Amino acid sequence: MFRFFKNVSREMKKVSWPNRKELTSYTITVIATVAFIALFFFLIDLGITQILNLL
């Protein structure tokens, strides 16, 4: 188990962490994508509901 944690520590030192500008850019991209997908499915759901109410 000690060797496992030693290897984890060694691998974590190799990780390239994003800087503040990259992190902000990635966060905005993710939020915009989630909002777009939520709006898309909301409109699809609304359309299906309207079609079913007509029937």
Side-chain angles (χ1 to χ4, degrees):
M1 184 173 255
F2 177 73
R3 190 171 71 179
F4 170 76
F5 286 114
K6 185 177 178 182
N7 288 336
V8 168
S9 176
R10 188 178 310 137
E11 290 298 320
M12 290 301 290
K13 290 177 184 176
K14 296 178 185 177
V15 173
S16 173
W17 298 101
N19 60 31
R20 186 175 186 90
K21 184 178 179 183
E22 291 173 330
L23 187 61
T24 302
S25 174
Y26 297 156
T27 302
I28 291 170
T29 302
V30 169
I31 291 172
T33 302
V34 169
F36 174 76
I37 292 172
L39 180 63
F40 173 77
F41 281 113
F42 171 75
L43 293 174
I44 296 296
D45 183 52
L46 188 64
I48 291 172
T49 302
Q50 293 298 321
I51 290 171
L52 289 176
N53 284 339
L54 290 174
L55 302 175

